[in-house]
Amino acid sequence: MAHLSRIKIAARLRPRINGEIDDDSVKVIHSAGSSATHGSFVSVVNPRDTTQIFKFPFTSCYDQSAPQDHIFNNDVKPMIDVVFQGVTVTIFAYGVTSSGKTHTMQGTREEPGIIPRTLQSMFSRASLSARHAQLSMSYMEIYKDEVYDLLVDRDNAPKLPVRENEQGKVFVANLTTESITDFTEFDAIYARATKRRSVGATNLNRASSRSHAILSIHVLVPDSAHGKTLIGKINLVDLAGSENNKLTGNDPSRMAESAAINKSLSVLGQVVHALNLNQPRIPYRNSKLTRILQDALGGSSVGLLVCNLAPGVKFRQDTLNTLNFAVRTKNIENKPVVNEQDDRPALRPYKLAAKVAPPAVAGPSRPRPSMVPVPRAPRTSALGSLAGFQPFIAPPIEPKIEEQERLGGLRAGLTEDEIDARIAKAVEREVARRLEERERQREKEERERLSHQQDNQRTRSKSPKKEDISLPSGVLTPMLKRHKDLDDEVRARLETIEDKLHVIFLTVFNASAANLTGIIPGIANPASTSQPTCVHQYPRKNSGEHTLLLRGRTLKRETFKPLSTFIAKQRLTFPTTSS
Ligand SMILES: Nc1ncnc2c1ncn2[C@@H]1O[C@H](COP(=O)(O)OP(=O)(O)OP(=O)(O)O)[C@@H](O)[C@H]1O
């Protein structure tokens, strides 16, 4: 079973900038003997009661003096090991505008942030490894809920669609991926791409990011000893700042951007909330941001959320919002998996049909399949514990029959018994699948039939009232006759029953079927060649009436009009059979 991994939270309080007034409303406290990663917490003075303090303990808390390398070494570096084991890691910076997200992720030339340090570390790891890991990158931004490729010129950048593959993994279609061989190459591409990112000045931050930026570094680590390649990925996400329009002084066009930013962040909050409550429906689809980050939120990746905080009473409410979001996020549980691709050569299709219907005369030996390498589907397996990361590789999932055929058949090196067992299993599964499919189809047809029937009844009950409540006297079913005030729906139902059974109830005075046959010309359906027969007759108490149940293939209520008219006119009186 996959191990659960909670999203790790790091809080970072930035120093004062541009003559901001500092006060004690937000502080990072390291209790005696504690470090950033142990026993520290963020304290915020309660805005409603300044004698109270809210405490927010997180895995890591960094104060204003914390250098960039401190954060990287404590929280990010251990995750790079995980990426090289074939796991997806997502690190995202969250916080209000100007709280230091870009500084933390990107940093400056003098103080490089998480992104450049991660790349340097990955390249040095790749070059040290004898396994020749290959790195590549993609970089996108989400601006006003549309996705753009930052690796192509903005003029040519179309809006990219977000799709889902057969395994339910969400991806951005047509996003460029460039291979990168060293840090210098990465840095040149990244610098060019970052210039394309949508930024604009607000009162709080002259270079405010107006979009969410997601940089993904993919790594392929061949493992020839086991005939596979591990597929790792790290997503480095610099979210746009959650905005307080009173503080940012946005003009109308900025307000529209701001609304889109706030909406996607609010959906992010809703997703986190729904995950916390274990709700059956998580609103990932309500914004592109959450859709793309789906795997990092309750999915199969490992996550780190860096909460950036701005100091001072001016930002206190935003700080509390950010910290409350972090508290909810830290309860989210992911189930990390190892992504890998099987590189072992597969075989040409083994004649499955021959196995399903074995040859009449079994020969002493069967033909050995020839070895022809074909591409294999990537697979995932459950991740073991993250601490001391020992991935557990689940046994390969057996492909379906069609898949086996597509992949080129059964694997080399299997004994005949193993091949037999696999074929038997595959056939068994296929039969079960078809039975299930048939059952589903049957249920579907039944549902359609019922709904069709209900529609019919609704239509009938809505159709204008037939003049004939006044159906010719004696041709109404006993119920209809007894209850003249029957509502349309019951009437319609009775008529449906009559139609279906090819029967009609005929009420006559003082007469039975035997008396009527041959005496009343209309007993035979005048419009039909088939004679209706009387299948039952019910003498009615103390009334002299008989109700006859007539049955005939082409029986129609209208065709009895002449008969009923005849009866009505003649006021016939016959002896009843019972008398
Ligand atoms: N830890 C830090 N040390 C020194 N300066 C910092 C630190 N954090 C942030 N700053 C400075 O604060 C300012 C705002 O930071 P930054 O641009 O990173 O904020 P942001 O959260 O990314 O804002 P936005 O959401 O508007 O993009 C910048 O001038 C940055 O250099």
Side-chain angles (χ1 to χ4, degrees):
M1 201 183 90
H3 285 244
L4 297 176
S5 154
R6 284 180 194 258
I7 294 184
K8 212 174 158 196
I9 311 288
R12 184 185 200 187
L13 181 61
R14 75 153 163 76
R16 284 178 296 145
I17 49 167
N18 307 330
E20 279 173 343
I21 301 160
D22 202 0
D23 50 53
D24 280 349
S25 47
V26 181
K27 285 194 294 190
V28 169
I29 312 283
H30 304 293
S31 44
S34 70
S35 66
T37 52
H38 192 70
S40 305
F41 60 92
V42 181
S43 93
V44 184
V45 175
N46 181 350
R48 298 220 174 97
D49 176 358
T50 50
T51 62
Q52 271 186 358
I53 292 179
F54 295 125
K55 285 185 183 177
F56 296 88
F58 294 117
T59 332
S60 314
C61 298
Y62 299 98
D63 60 31
Q64 287 146 308
S65 63
Q68 302 275 55
D69 64 339
H70 200 169
I71 298 163
F72 177 76
N73 290 329
N74 269 343
D75 285 319
V76 182
K77 210 168 172 199
M79 294 199 159
I80 294 174
D81 294 339
V82 176
V83 177
F84 275 78
Q85 303 270 9
V87 176
T88 300
V89 167
T90 302
I91 299 179
F92 39 115
Y94 183 92
V96 70
T97 292
S98 92
S99 56
K101 297 180 296 295
T102 306
H103 182 82
T104 299
M105 294 308 285
Q106 206 170 296
T108 57
R109 289 273 162 215
E110 303 71 45
E111 292 180 82
I114 289 175
I115 290 175
R117 285 173 196 273
T118 297
L119 266 296
Q120 255 152 357
S121 169
M122 288 178 86
F123 280 118
S124 80
R125 201 191 149 120
S127 64
L128 285 178
S129 152
R131 289 190 181 176
H132 303 295
Q134 292 165 34
L135 269 63
S136 58
M137 66 183 282
S138 54
Y139 194 18
M140 68 182 110
E141 73 169 340
I142 307 173
Y143 178 61
K144 293 195 197 165
D145 210 33
E146 297 293 353
V147 185
Y148 298 94
D149 192 341
L150 286 170
L151 295 189
V152 301
D153 275 343
R154 197 47 186 245
D155 296 342
N156 304 324
K159 294 171 184 170
L160 300 182
V162 179
R163 304 231 167 92
E164 200 171 312
N165 71 9
E166 281 169 3
Q167 287 82 41
K169 286 247 179 206
V170 176
F171 67 99
V172 174
N174 308 326
L175 186 68
T176 312
T177 303
E178 284 198 29
S179 94
I180 38 177
T181 48
D182 57 28
F183 183 78
T184 318
E185 191 182 3
F186 159 78
D187 200 32
I189 299 173
Y190 178 68
R192 237 187 352 261
T194 301
K195 283 201 191 112
R196 299 185 182 118
R197 192 177 167 195
S198 298
V199 288
T202 69
N203 287 349
L204 288 177
N205 193 0
R206 289 192 53 250
S208 182
S209 328
R210 315 297 295 170
S211 66
H212 310 295
I214 304 177
L215 171 69
S216 301
I217 309 297
H218 311 259
V219 56
L220 295 180
V221 187
D223 178 0
S224 46
H226 298 99
K228 64 188 179 187
T229 298
L230 299 170
I231 308 167
K233 180 164 88 160
I234 185 163
N235 298 314
L236 300 156
V237 187
D238 184 3
L239 294 170
S242 53
E243 304 215 332
N244 179 336
N245 290 322
K246 278 190 207 138
L247 297 183
T248 49
N250 286 333
D251 67 28
S253 75
R254 289 272 176 265
M255 291 285 225
E257 281 176 348
S258 196
I261 294 168
N262 285 343
K263 189 201 152 207
S264 57
L265 290 172
S266 121
V267 175
L268 181 62
Q270 289 160 18
V271 165
V272 168
H273 185 65
L275 284 167
N276 268 305
L277 296 183
N278 240 340
Q279 285 179 352
R281 188 189 162 271
I282 312 294
Y284 293 116
R285 287 172 179 271
N286 290 4
S287 84
K288 298 261 167 61
L289 176 69
T290 47
R291 190 115 172 77
I292 293 168
L293 291 181
Q294 185 165 336
D295 196 42
L297 302 160
S300 60
S301 71
V302 171
L304 168 68
L305 173 73
V306 184
C307 283
N308 291 92
L309 311 171
V313 75
K314 179 171 143 192
F315 292 103
R316 184 167 48 187
Q317 193 50 52
D318 291 315
T319 301
L320 278 172
N321 295 344
T322 302
L323 291 168
N324 283 327
F325 173 77
V327 168
R328 291 203 305 270
T329 306
K330 77 176 179 180
N331 293 325
I332 295 178
E333 286 175 332
N334 288 347
K335 291 184 190 122
V337 296
V338 173
N339 300 292
E340 61 187 40
Q341 180 183 292
D342 195 338
D343 298 332
R344 282 173 297 182
L347 306 173
R348 273 273 166 239
Y350 186 73
K351 284 295 168 213
L352 200 59
K355 285 303 300 177
V356 175
V361 185
S365 64
R366 283 178 205 156
R368 302 297 308 171
S370 61
M371 298 270 293
V372 181
V374 293
R376 283 174 175 275
R379 65 184 186 203
T380 59
S381 52
L383 176 70
S385 87
L386 198 56
F389 186 63
Q390 285 300 318
F392 158 65
I393 310 291
I397 300 159
E398 278 300 312
K400 286 185 191 162
I401 288 180
E402 312 86 83
E403 249 176 317
Q404 288 185 349
E405 283 172 338
R406 186 173 59 74
L407 294 176
L410 300 163
R411 184 172 305 142
L414 293 180
T415 65
E416 304 234 326
D417 282 349
E418 282 169 335
I419 293 175
D420 281 350
R422 286 189 178 207
I423 290 172
K425 240 195 221 167
V427 171
E428 218 172 77
R429 249 194 324 263
E430 182 61 9
V431 169
R433 189 185 67 76
R434 285 189 193 174
L435 282 176
E436 236 173 61
E437 204 168 78
R438 198 180 301 165
E439 182 60 16
R440 268 201 304 275
Q441 181 64 18
R442 205 190 54 72
E443 281 171 9
K444 189 175 156 216
E445 282 169 9
E446 180 62 16
R447 271 198 306 277
E448 281 171 1
R449 196 186 61 72
L450 282 174
S451 117
H452 186 63
Q453 207 173 30
Q454 279 166 0
D455 284 352
N456 267 353
Q457 283 167 2
R458 265 195 293 275
T459 319
R460 277 169 192 262
S461 66
K462 276 182 197 153
S463 61
K465 263 192 184 173
K466 282 189 191 144
E467 244 331 270
D468 333 297
I469 280 259
S470 62
L471 268 175
S473 64
V475 187
L476 292 173
T477 64
M479 254 186 101
L480 290 171
K481 194 165 180 216
R482 267 203 306 277
H483 305 284
K484 289 215 161 62
D485 55 347
L486 276 182
D487 69 25
D488 285 353
E489 192 173 339
V490 177
R491 186 178 301 282
R493 280 188 185 200
L494 284 168
E495 288 176 10
T496 314
I497 292 170
E498 284 189 347
D499 284 353
K500 259 205 186 146
L501 299 175
H502 302 291
V503 297
I504 195 158
F505 292 95
L506 175 67
T507 304
V508 295
F509 296 97
N510 295 325
S512 69
N515 305 137
L516 290 171
T517 311
I519 299 176
I520 303 175
I523 188 77
N525 180 353
S528 159
T529 50
S530 71
Q531 287 276 337
T533 52
C534 177
V535 291
H536 224 300
Q537 54 187 345
Y538 315 90
R540 298 188 58 192
K541 269 188 191 163
N542 310 324
S543 71
E545 282 177 4
H546 265 67
T547 296
L548 308 181
L549 175 57
L550 302 179
R551 179 164 210 158
R553 283 241 142 246
T554 54
L555 221 47
K556 288 265 169 6
R557 183 175 299 279
E558 301 75 51
T559 60
F560 277 81
K561 218 166 181 172
L563 169 61
S564 51
T565 316
F566 181 84
I567 295 169
K569 274 192 188 154
Q570 304 295 313
R571 307 290 302 160
L572 289 175
T573 302
F574 295 97
T576 63
T577 43
S578 53
S579 64

